[in-house]
Amino acid sequence: LGLKAEGKGLELMFKLPLDLPTTLVGDPLRLGQILINLGNNAVKFTQTGAVCIKMELKYEFESKITLLCSVIDTGIGMSQEHQSRMFKTFSQADESITRKYGGTGLGLAICKQLCELMGGEIGLQSELGDGSTFYFTVEVQKCEQKSVIQTIDKAAVAKLKVLVVDDICLARTVMIELLAKLGVKADQVDNGVDAIK
């Protein structure tokens, strides 16, 4: 996804919670297929702006975790009518979209089946001209094995003065939230002139 996004001048971001375990037991091949399909679609239908892949812990019960994964884009979006057809086999928004962007419409139907095989579901939120968010859940197991991660001294980091500069609101939001979790209160601007001021 990185090369495709870079080739179009898009920002590709990943938003992961700090409490997300780094080692889980599940089906990485299926999970990867879903993320790559949704990510490729997001890049394909976004001309300017960003694509963000976001993971959250939706539920945690004993040894099971339900992950909520979202692929958010600033692309062309779609109407409610088109959204209702998105997860049906060989269905796309409309023929003009197929002519312009290509594809068969099979990918989302397969993503739906894969999510269901992993105990989850898939859906979307979109507005025509205002981007789309495809989201899905999957069930995974906690792993007893702990991975070794270098910890950050939050007290030292919290003292830093940080200015986040990006013309894309979604990119600024991701960075500001990540810094806030580290105890850093950052300022933000959307252009270079304000950054210099």
Side-chain angles (χ1 to χ4, degrees):
L1 293 179
L3 288 174
K4 289 180 181 179
E6 186 178 333
K8 292 183 74 173
L10 303 175
E11 290 197 46
L12 178 62
M13 297 167 286
F14 298 89
K15 185 175 179 184
L16 306 171
L18 295 177
D19 60 346
L20 181 69
T22 56
T23 308
L24 296 166
V25 178
D27 191 328
L29 179 62
R30 285 181 181 159
L31 185 57
Q33 287 173 322
I34 297 166
L35 287 169
I36 288 170
N37 186 282
L38 295 179
N40 278 334
N41 284 347
V43 170
K44 183 194 306 188
F45 294 109
T46 303
Q47 299 307 313
T48 60
V51 172
C52 179
I53 297 175
K54 177 180 170 185
M55 298 255 179
E56 300 173 78
L57 289 173
K58 186 172 181 185
Y59 300 116
E60 190 171 349
F61 181 72
E62 294 177 355
S63 65
K64 285 188 179 180
I65 290 176
T66 300
L67 289 177
L68 171 61
C69 310
S70 305
V71 178
I72 306 159
D73 67 58
T74 57
I76 62 173
M78 64 188 84
S79 68
Q80 290 292 328
E81 177 190 346
H82 293 150
Q83 290 178 49
S84 66
R85 299 195 300 260
M86 289 313 307
F87 299 104
K88 295 180 180 156
T89 307
F90 300 114
S91 178
Q92 290 190 315
D94 62 39
E95 288 183 15
S96 65
I97 299 278
T98 304
R99 282 193 301 273
K100 182 172 181 180
Y101 295 98
T104 63
L106 185 58
L108 291 176
I110 292 171
C111 286
K112 182 177 188 296
Q113 289 178 337
L114 293 176
C115 287
E116 290 169 355
L117 286 169
M118 292 187 286
E121 56 189 10
I122 191 167
L124 78 128
Q125 294 174 328
S126 184
E127 285 188 37
L128 192 58
D130 197 27
S132 300
T133 298
F134 282 82
Y135 57 87
F136 65 94
T137 58
V138 293
E139 285 186 2
V140 293
Q141 299 285 326
K142 292 181 186 176
C143 183
E144 296 302 319
Q145 181 182 359
K146 300 286 183 189
S147 60
V148 180
I149 298 177
Q150 186 176 1
T151 57
I152 296 172
D153 180 1
K154 287 186 179 181
V157 174
K159 296 175 186 174
L160 296 174
K161 292 183 179 182
V162 178
L163 174 64
V164 176
V165 183
D166 201 305
D167 59 337
I168 299 172
C169 181
L170 179 59
R172 288 195 315 274
T173 301
V174 168
M175 186 59 68
I176 293 291
E177 288 177 8
L178 179 61
L179 289 167
K181 288 178 182 172
L182 295 174
V184 176
K185 186 174 183 337
D187 293 316
Q188 61 176 307
V189 293
D190 64 1
N191 63 76
V193 173
D194 287 345
I196 292 169
K197 286 180 186 175

